[in-house]
Amino acid sequence: MSSELLGIILNTFYVSAIPTLLAVAVGTPAAYALYVRGGRLAGAVEALFNGLVGVPTVLLGLLLYLLLARTGPLGFLNILYTLNAVVVGHFLFVLPLYVAFATTAFRSVDVKVLEVLRMFPMPAWRRHMLVVREAVGGLAAAAAAAFSRAMGELGIALMLGGDIRFRTRVLTTAIAHETMLGNWDAAIQLGAVLLALSVSVSAVVYALGYKYRG
């Protein structure tokens, strides 16, 4: 494995894993709040998240580009054409998907479990943690889906990262680059690496989620 390919793989993990972890940290409490609250307001918010799942990556990338450009309102951050800009874009991209999946995971918890938990005197936080434990399999699936979605994304990575060699190039932008050059063998090999990494990480996350539940 060449040092350049290793750097591309590490960049890909960075702009996929960090947004996924942020989505889990922000999205899990949000999904649980929607699950507990219920009612029309929660339903409206959930419908909003479900709708945002289908936002085109090019549109999201364009909006963030306008915000992060030097002439934009967030230009002072000076992160455009860096991996951190891609992380921000991917976080906003995968958050709705994670919340939608996580909310479904919480709703899959057996009603009998909730009834039993209400029978025992315990702190509210302890009850909440037990519900999360029951839903951890679904939450792991949500995290795996978010990671795979971030890893396979192209538009945001290209517009915010710029596909700068040795700096912001990731597997998806590298595949697009090699394809435009007509290097089909290289593009296919990079695609195989991307697929193998995505499937492997998803399998590990699924396994850890169900092991923790057990």
Side-chain angles (χ1 to χ4, degrees), residues 81-93:
Y81 297 135
T82 67
L83 291 177
N84 289 332
V86 181
V87 166
V88 173
H90 280 180
F91 164 67
L92 295 177
F93 179 55

Side-chain angles (χ1 to χ4, degrees), residues 39 59 73 104 120 160 167 188 201:
L59 175 60
T104 301
F120 293 93
L160 301 184
R167 289 184 56 190
I188 292 174
V201 172

Side-chain angles (χ1 to χ4, degrees), residues 11 57 64 85 91 150 198:
N11 287 347
T57 61
L64 289 174
F91 164 67
S198 179

Side-chain angles (χ1 to χ4, degrees), residues 116-164:
V116 171
L117 290 177
R118 294 191 185 100
M119 295 173 58
F120 293 93
M122 63 178 70
W125 67 267
R126 176 63 175 169
R127 186 181 297 110
H128 297 331
M129 291 304 298
L130 290 174
V131 174
V132 171
R133 182 183 176 88
E134 287 296 316
V136 73
L139 295 178
F147 181 87
S148 296
R149 189 173 176 84
M151 181 171 278
E153 195 281 325
L154 173 61
I156 293 171
L158 191 59
M159 297 183 71
L160 301 184
D163 188 38
I164 303 173

Side-chain angles (χ1 to χ4, degrees), residues 9-62:
I9 292 174
L10 292 177
N11 287 347
T12 303
F13 267 106
Y14 182 76
V15 301
S16 303
I18 301 300
T20 300
L21 292 175
L22 291 174
V24 170
V26 175
T28 303
Y32 187 78
L34 293 175
Y35 162 70
V36 171
R37 181 179 180 86
R40 292 183 178 180
L41 179 59
V45 174
E46 185 178 353
L48 175 62
F49 276 108
N50 289 334
L52 291 175
V53 171
V55 171
T57 61
V58 175
L59 175 60
L60 180 57
L62 174 61

